[in-house]
Amino acid sequence: MAEKTELIGLSRDELQKALTDIGEKPFRAKQLWQWLYYFGETDFEKMTNLSKVLRQKLSEHFTVTRPKIVAEQLSVDKTRKWLLEFADGQRVEMVYIPEEDRGAVCISTQVGCAVGCRFCHTGSQKLTRNLTTAEIVSQFMVARDTYGEWPSPTNETRYLSNIVVMGMGEPLHNMENVVKALNILTDGDGIAISRRRVTMSTSGIAPHIVEALQRTGVRLAISLHAPNNELRSTIMPINNRYPLEEVLNACRQYQAEDGSRYITFEYLLLDSINDSLDCARQLIALMKKYTLRASFNLIPFNPWPGCAFKPSPNNKVKAFARELENAGFAAPVRVARGQDILAACGQLKSKKDAESK
Ligand code: SAH
Ligand code: SF4
């Protein structure tokens, strides 16, 4: 018998085709979609509005798989980190960051990352492979399993209310799978996370920025981290390929399509590298030059074993933030969460430290 098809990760059209291929009516796709993504059901036997014969047939042709949870850690601040393993043994980390009455799940898009930013633990691991659509979507489904948040809550009081694509990997290096996954996660008949509550962060793969956002309608965050090409190229070698002008032009084009769009620029503060007031002033000038509606997210650097950088001291962070705020930009300093379990930005990895040496 042919190998079974995994249902998670299929688009609605693909699901419909999978059903008609086994001789079922197309309308079954809607019912099945609801079971998979609204109820979060993984067992065909429990899909009770389908006949027993159909349930049996589905289980003969299809699978509904979650990644295996290899480890789960809870921080003192309630941030939770999962180490997940896929069918081929590859692993990624995922993080849930709770706020008062909501919270964001930070999902990964690749095992490792080819971009190689100097300050990033993930980037120090090289790219192993892209995640499939199913692997991206099912991360969030694991978080929902853990918090018992099925069926999809219909009001706005959800624990898992937001998604940030800020885990391991560069999403725009895995464009097709990421776009498809985000469209599944935001589908109103299923998991139904509002597109406004999904933010995709990129290191600036300029030619894909506008297209990815047009096809998903999610929000954009750019990992800027430096106000000029010379400095940015030294900490983010990808800047040699896609220099600031190209990245910021793409941002401008994205905003030109819809006057309500804001972009978050992430700016990691590294001691004596990019944290001077002069850097802050260059940043302001850059925003004005490209007429961007922007807010900043100042990120304290999270050290990891073997990295060369140091976090910027508090007084410099404050002065940097004040400079941006005085120029009219929101510039909150991100509170590092889950540090005791190495769950903060840039600390995620797929292997234990001993193994990654
Ligand atoms: N690859 C994408 C998304 C994942 S990284 C990107 O780079 O945007 C998410 C954010 O964490 C990025 O802004 C990244 O620059 C930042 N980051 C990486 N390493 C970090 C570290 N050691 N401390 C704090 N933030 C870090
Ligand atoms: Fe990749 Fe983002 Fe890390 Fe850079 S910061 S190496 S793009 S995951």
Side-chain angles (χ1 to χ4, degrees), residues 113 115-117 119-120 122-123 169-170 203:
C113 182
V115 176
C117 303
F119 43 76
C120 175
T122 306
E170 168 47 57
S203 58

Side-chain angles (χ1 to χ4, degrees), residues 144-321:
R144 273 217 172 151
D145 294 343
T146 305
Y147 285 84
E149 212 165 58
W150 299 109
S152 296
T154 46
N155 55 27
E156 285 285 291
T157 53
R158 311 168 166 212
Y159 274 124
L160 312 181
S161 59
N162 292 52
I163 295 176
V164 290
V165 186
M166 295 187 185
M168 298 166 59
E170 168 47 57
L172 297 185
H173 275 167
N174 186 13
M175 169 105 149
E176 292 307 317
N177 292 340
V178 169
V179 164
K180 212 166 139 193
L182 294 180
N183 281 320
I184 293 173
L185 290 164
T186 54
D187 185 294
D189 293 330
I191 291 172
I193 299 290
S194 154
R195 293 172 196 272
R196 290 174 294 114
R197 292 180 177 276
V198 179
T199 303
M200 186 185 67
S201 173
T202 174
S203 58
I205 313 302
H208 293 326
I209 290 175
V210 174
E211 186 192 338
L213 296 159
Q214 276 170 342
R215 290 172 65 192
T216 58
V218 302
R219 288 177 186 247
L220 172 64
I222 299 276
S223 293
L224 200 59
H225 306 326
N228 59 57
N229 281 322
E230 198 189 348
L231 182 54
R232 194 164 189 264
S233 296
T234 63
I235 55 175
M236 299 178 71
I238 190 80
N239 192 70
N240 290 312
R241 180 98 186 265
Y242 306 114
L244 274 176
E245 300 77 46
E246 288 184 28
V247 176
L248 297 178
N249 272 327
C251 291
R252 183 153 63 177
Q253 196 185 332
Y254 160 72
Q255 291 194 323
E257 289 176 8
D258 178 346
S260 69
R261 288 176 177 160
Y262 258 74
I263 296 173
T264 303
F265 287 96
E266 295 161 279
Y267 197 97
L268 186 60
L269 287 158
L270 302 167
D271 188 24
S272 303
I273 304 278
N274 64 354
D275 60 351
S276 67
L277 284 183
D278 184 49
C279 281
R281 288 175 196 135
Q282 287 184 47
L283 263 186
I284 295 163
L286 208 54
M287 295 299 123
K288 293 200 170 136
K289 180 171 170 201
Y290 286 87
T291 54
L292 295 172
R293 291 180 298 282
S295 59
F296 289 91
N297 207 333
L298 302 179
I299 314 177
F301 172 61
N302 297 310
W304 38 272
C307 74
F309 299 106
K310 284 213 256 343
S312 195
N314 266 342
N315 58 335
K316 282 168 105 181
V317 172
K318 279 197 188 127
F320 198 95

Side-chain angles (χ1 to χ4, degrees), residues 331-348:
V333 180
R334 189 187 289 171
V335 182
R337 301 284 299 269
Q339 277 194 313
D340 52 332
I341 58 168
L342 284 181
C345 286
Q347 294 181 315
L348 303 188

